[in-house]
Amino acid sequence: MASITVDENMQGGVGFSRQRLAGILVFVAVVMTILQYTGLLPSVLHRLPESAIPPFATWLDAMFNFVKDDLGLLALTRFLTEGLQWILDVTANLLFGKRRWPNIGPIPWTAIAAVAGVIGYYLGGWRLALLGAGTFIWTALIGQWKIAMETMSVLVVAAPLAFVIGLGAGILAWKYSAFNRAIKPILSVLQTLPFFTYLLPAVIFFKVGPTAGAVATTIYAIPPMVLMTTLGLQKVSPEVVEAGHMSGCTRWQLLRHVYLPSARTEILVGVNQVIMLCLAMVVLTAFIGMPGLGAKLLAMMGSFKLGRSFEIGVTIVLLAVMLDRLSKAWVVKQPEHFERGTPWWKRHATSLIALGAFVFFCILAQFVEVAAEIGRKQNFSQGKEIDTAIKTFLAFDPVQNTTNAMRYVLNVWILNPFRDFLLSIPTSAFILLVIAFALWLGGKRPAIYAAIFFSLVALSGWWDRSVITLYSVISAVSLALLIGVPIGILAARSDTWSRRVLLACDTAQTFPSFIYLIPAIMLFGITATSVVMSILIFAMVPLTRYTIEGLRTVPVEMTEAADMAGATRMQKLWKVQLPLALPTMAVGFNQAIMFAFFMVIIAAFIGTQDLGQELQRTLAGTDLGKNFVLGLCVALMALTFDLTIMKWASDKKAALGLDD
Amino acid sequence: MTTDTVISCRNVWKLFGADPAGYLAKKPEGHSYEDIRADGYIAGVKDVSIEVSRGEMLVIMGLSGSGKSTLVRCFSRLHEITGGTIEVEGQDIMSLSEQQLIDLRRNKMGMVFQSFGLLPHRTVLENVAFPLEMRGQDKHTRRERALEVVKLVGLEGREEYFPRELSGGQQQRVGIARSLAIEPDIWFLDEPFSALDPLIRREMQDEFLRLQAMLGKTIVFITHDFDEALRLADRIAIMKDGAVEQCDTPDKIVLNPATEYVRKFTEEIDKARVVHAGVLARDGITGEGTPVDASASIQELAKLLVQDTRAAIPVHRDGKLVGALDREEALNVLVGAE
Amino acid sequence: MKKFTTALSAGVLAAMPLAALAEDSSDPIVIPIHNWSSQIVMSNVVGQIFESMGNNVEYITTDSQAVYESVRLGDVTMELEVWEGAFGASFRAALEKGGLHDAGDHDAVTREDWWYPMWTKDACPGLPSWEALNDCAKVFATAETGDKGRYLDGPVDWLKHGQERVEALGMDFVVVNAGSAAALWAEIGAAEADKRPVVVFNWTPNFAEAVWPGEFVEFPEWVEGCDKDPAVGPNPNALYDCGNPAKGYLKKAAWDGMKDKWPAAYETLTKISFTNAQIAEMAKLVDIDEMEPEEAAEAWLEANPDVWQGWTS
């Protein structure tokens, strides 16, 4: 079973196997590199001369200006801004009392916490009730209510907006294959584009502040919604559809009453992803002036308050975990029937209790000030204490010695030589190596994409920075493989540990990424090690998660067959479980690379010489063209890996006869 | 056509492939299923001509992939046919506009599906009322009607349940109730009991016969189970590779299988249970003594046949003499001799 | 009739010689907030002053470089801290495009340059002279820099020309760019634990002075043209061979439309001027006393009525 190869379904063709061809490409690349070292390689092949680099940025700028001014897009978006601003003002008034219509806010924190508790109870019993209410109570007590609500006020606008647009686009993509074909590559690029690239156009077109933040957040969250909607609609059982036809549905009735409700699960999974992405992005929009948790976090980091930063991070994680768990509970929540004759108030008990609690606390807040707002002096922030704890930990000698040793070994012996080596490879040879990799793993199509994408990167004129970006990604993902996969394998052996490790993964993933940076710097200085370490945490999460998932979803019959064949634990792992889990693990590997590309951009905060640093620099200006070129370089490199690895995984899955 | 023909289809083709219409224009009538397949097309329905009369139950029987489900979907135009004509109540359904088709389905047709095709987010009552809702009936009347049908299929007290809270048999009752809600003239059932346990299946068949005795609809019933076909059918059409191998009453199919393929099905069948006295009755001979009823199966007559000594026994239908059966021949059927 | 009175009063108002009598618009004045404490508190202080005059105020978080574009377009009404070194270029670029103008200087002066925390002096007693710093370059060596010392410069986009200065003055230092202010603080914070000597980019006024006492390295004094003419400065063949100006300006910038829309507030804005000590005090309230910016602003206003009350009349 495990030894099935995928060779047959590849082009055998002209006598070259895929592997042979890849081998030849590698050989050519090695020869070229050696020629370069001996000084015999024409310099054009080593690095593209400046003169050969087309001014993409200028062209893009001209295009943007044309669209913006001549086509009047700016006028349109500024018009839309007004509408969006109005909605944001309403939520801002309700949630944190911004002085705008309807001027009735802010809603007391106790009322919101109570409603969250009731919803949690309805969706998942006491545990979720506790999570729902607890998150808001924590936020209030720690003294972050207002900033958290600033964030929420944008989230509650951006998430529904992304949902509606994503749903609409998903329906169109499902209905019209032409639209689907047109939108697929756009979605792929959107999903790999660094978030910095969303931010600048948002500011230019939608005004600095919450509106731009909401727009960037919305766009960032749309792709998964589109994909999940299309997937869900495609999966609706044909019989249900036929039943709809036979019931005499018109097209609209069919969509509204048959398709959408039947695709509920996938659509709700999409909603869950929308919420999570919105939350991740809403924090990052602090870079373009969105107030809220992200902005506070940046300010706290800017004044070296580790404890307070950490507390904000905890709030964000709690919010994320709460929204995630509640929306996931909503996904699996199935309708329950009420006996006939159940009175009206019993059918709507949850809504009534929620409403009752809401009104009660709103009234209470009029008389008891603490129920309405918790001021600075009443909160329980332990910022200073945490600061001290962190500093004491860092000053601890064994910690210092360990990190210093690691820093030395990694930097001086591994990372820097590796980087210099990658930089020393001629551009043309580098591209050949990437093509060989794509060909060997994914086949002809990925190889062609790899060729086009990396050639474009070379043409962009940002080759060295792109290579440095890639180097950070490769280093971090390699380390993550060494650590994350064994953890996954160990955890997968027991239910309890799987659950615990998966929970840790969730937490690590939702913890705002730039909090990792400060400890990384304090431990490893402003060096490549810090960069790699901060990416590492992020990249390990999907590897561990998918290793566990892959191993645990190996069909029981197969492990039982292995047991009956007298396999030892190790044999079972190596001969049965790992080969079968491999396609799933490849998906995790792919995600690890995507996450690494995401994080490497943020790691520019530590101090790097890669694309992220240049991208960050463009944020301060109005350099839209350059911003896009840089963003696309990242996206193209990420896409190359994405296409190749996903192709491999799906080939492998098909060969093993596993379904998605 | 006589007015009693409800569905009439002539030379119906349903091809799947890149350009079915273009391929059909090249007249592949003589080609076998494999030939067509070699050309890159799948013949879902291959040159089928069949008629269904009012009040008749036609069972289409075939193994999976034989095209039976495709054929029934052509009747209701869930599939667009590639060639031929299908008339429902004298109207060519391929010429209907979308709105006319919707009206036809809303008022004349009902369908039951193998995996029930229930809407998971609606209660039993809402599922049953769904076709009524689609046709725009007001809430009150559709509720009344739905309750009526739910009662008819024996699901009283479960009106507020959701499909996933019901057993398979109960879910199919909901499917049946839904298909009956609009009081259709034509009732399509696509392997309605295949997904059920054998015991439940038997029970549902009885239930179905009870309903049919009450309602007297025109029915096209799909099954892959020959026993089920024999049990329910007025006529059986046996399909293979998209074509109808034989279409006749159960007795005649059992007694005279038209092809080798059909004969294989009949081999294992206890013919005595299927063949009725009426079929064996001959005009030419007249027996004496007490007549037997034409609708009695040979098995039911077993004791009489063995003990009787007459060579020919008269056969009555509704009190009228229709002929007499040859006892020898009937005994042969009883003991399974060819 | 009503129309007539409206027209009449409009005419009368237009005829008034001074804007002082015109009402400020009730639209909110938008004050930008950045990611360092003194600016946030100062913005809140000024915002509360405006509110005490009956204006509506709104704070909006923005990027400290991109803000000039927003001020120019009127999305943001003013900017209270225009640092010569850090934002002079962005400010001048926006000034050329038009839409905003210089609304006067603060008393405070700004300085940005190489800096070290006090404990560094134990390892390199000759400081703050730059020659002394260069002599003990080895003290600042790290695993990656070998024998040379490491100087941690600000993010590349701040354009501090650390590399050029090292080359121009022939110093034994390797320049490493931090990616953000936070990265600088983290490095100092880590060094503080074992009192490791470090030399980093820093500026004043800044909260860091209160947390880690330290000094600027004294480079050859800034001479006008040091960044444009190689002949200026000790090395005749190189640019950037002197320190940064020790007394940079700290300006306010205003949107051109502010004068007409909120004349009274504008009048006040032009009068506002803070000193280094006052700015440090504001930063301290937040950074050391852990107040929220709004509360810190209230506290400061309460403690210093004589400073600001003169600006509102």
Side-chain angles (χ1 to χ4, degrees), chain B residues 4-7 50-54 56 58 218-220 235:
Chain B
D4 266 322
T5 303
V6 180
I7 301 173
I50 210 167
E51 283 178 1
V52 189
S53 315
R54 190 168 307 284
E56 178 191 32
L58 173 71
T218 304
I219 293 176
V220 179
R235 277 194 306 150

Side-chain angles (χ1 to χ4, degrees), chain A residues 318-331:
Chain A
L318 277 176
L319 278 175
V321 170
M322 175 197 71
L323 290 171
D324 182 53
R325 291 296 134 87
L326 288 187
S327 54
K328 273 189 185 149
W330 189 27
V331 174

Side-chain angles (χ1 to χ4, degrees), chain A residues 239-240 242-251 253 257-258 261-262 334-340 347, chain B residues 73 78 98 102 105-106 113-117 119 121-122 130-131 134 143 160-162 164-165 178:
Chain A
E239 282 204 342
V240 172
E242 284 173 340
H245 275 299
M246 290 308 291
S247 301
C249 288
T250 59
R251 286 166 195 226
Q253 285 174 325
H257 294 290
V258 178
S262 303
Q334 296 287 350
E336 301 269 356
H337 75 273
F338 289 97
E339 287 306 325
R340 283 188 72 192
R347 284 172 190 257
Chain B
R73 279 164 175 73
L78 281 173
E98 186 174 333
I102 286 174
R105 288 175 182 160
R106 280 180 181 178
F113 297 89
Q114 181 175 2
S115 349
F116 326 132
L119 297 168
H121 60 292
R122 289 174 164 247
F130 185 66
M134 291 303 101
R143 190 183 156 80
E160 301 295 326
Y161 280 54
F162 286 93
R164 66 180 176 86
E165 296 175 313
R178 175 177 63 187

Side-chain angles (χ1 to χ4, degrees), chain C residues 126-180:
Chain C
L127 286 169
S129 133
W130 72 272
E131 284 109 334
L133 176 75
N134 199 29
D135 289 342
C136 40
K138 272 207 179 74
V139 172
F140 299 95
T142 63
E144 301 78 24
T145 56
D147 280 348
K148 292 189 170 186
R150 184 200 56 170
Y151 163 60
L152 194 59
D153 206 350
V156 184
D157 49 317
W158 293 1
L159 302 174
K160 296 307 165 202
H161 307 289
Q163 186 61 44
E164 287 89 338
R165 189 182 300 171
V166 164
E167 282 162 20
L169 295 174
M171 297 173 75
D172 287 329
F173 273 84
V174 173
V175 177
V176 173
N177 289 100
S180 56

Side-chain angles (χ1 to χ4, degrees), chain B residues 88-227:
Chain B
V88 173
E89 311 233 308
Q91 196 173 25
D92 179 2
I93 61 161
M94 292 310 289
S95 67
L96 298 179
S97 69
E98 186 174 333
Q99 193 51 51
Q100 286 170 320
L101 181 66
I102 286 174
D103 283 342
L104 178 72
R105 288 175 182 160
R106 280 180 181 178
N107 299 311
K108 289 241 158 77
M109 294 175 167
M111 185 158 175
V112 181
F113 297 89
Q114 181 175 2
S115 349
F116 326 132
L118 300 180
L119 297 168
H121 60 292
R122 289 174 164 247
T123 62
V124 167
L125 205 63
E126 286 166 342
N127 258 296
V128 173
F130 185 66
L132 306 170
E133 185 182 335
M134 291 303 101
R135 96 182 161 183
Q137 249 162 295
D138 72 85
K139 209 166 175 179
H140 184 69
T141 42
R142 72 182 189 232
R143 190 183 156 80
E144 288 303 305
R145 172 64 189 156
L147 282 170
E148 203 174 299
V149 198
V150 167
K151 194 172 164 192
L152 186 69
V153 299
L155 279 179
E156 273 170 297
R158 301 278 156 95
E159 291 87 350
E160 301 295 326
Y161 280 54
F162 286 93
R164 66 180 176 86
E165 296 175 313
L166 299 173
S167 71
Q170 288 170 329
Q171 290 192 39
Q172 193 55 295
R173 284 168 196 263
V174 180
I176 290 173
R178 175 177 63 187
S179 70
L180 290 175
I182 57 151
E183 300 180 75
D185 297 333
I186 310 166
W187 200 12
F188 300 110
L189 297 104
D190 180 14
E191 304 209 30
F193 310 135
S194 301
L196 306 177
D197 294 339
L199 280 179
I200 310 280
R201 194 182 308 165
R202 185 89 194 170
E203 184 191 315
M204 291 293 286
Q205 285 167 358
D206 291 337
E207 179 79 17
F208 173 66
L209 285 172
R210 178 182 71 84
L211 278 173
Q212 173 58 2
M214 262 164 66
L215 303 168
K217 308 269 182 210
T218 304
I219 293 176
V220 179
F221 190 107
I222 311 286
T223 182
H224 63 256
D225 177 353
F226 194 51
D227 280 324

Side-chain angles (χ1 to χ4, degrees), chain C residues 61-164:
Chain C
T61 320
T62 69
D63 181 85
S64 51
Q65 299 282 358
V67 69
Y68 299 98
E69 188 66 14
S70 307
V71 176
R72 211 172 66 71
L73 296 173
D75 292 346
V76 163
T77 316
M78 68 184 77
E79 166 59 52
L80 289 164
E81 285 195 12
V82 186
W83 293 57
E84 174 167 17
F87 312 117
S90 298
F91 172 64
R92 279 192 300 274
L95 203 59
E96 271 167 37
K97 287 193 198 166
L100 87 174
H101 61 272
D102 182 345
D105 291 3
H106 289 284
D107 269 347
V109 289
T110 56
R111 183 173 185 188
E112 325 169 296
D113 223 321
W114 296 36
W115 176 96
Y116 54 88
M118 248 5 183
W119 65 79
T120 303
K121 244 183 167 166
D122 300 339
C124 186
L127 286 169
S129 133
W130 72 272
E131 284 109 334
L133 176 75
N134 199 29
D135 289 342
C136 40
K138 272 207 179 74
V139 172
F140 299 95
T142 63
E144 301 78 24
T145 56
D147 280 348
K148 292 189 170 186
R150 184 200 56 170
Y151 163 60
L152 194 59
D153 206 350
V156 184
D157 49 317
W158 293 1
L159 302 174
K160 296 307 165 202
H161 307 289
Q163 186 61 44
E164 287 89 338

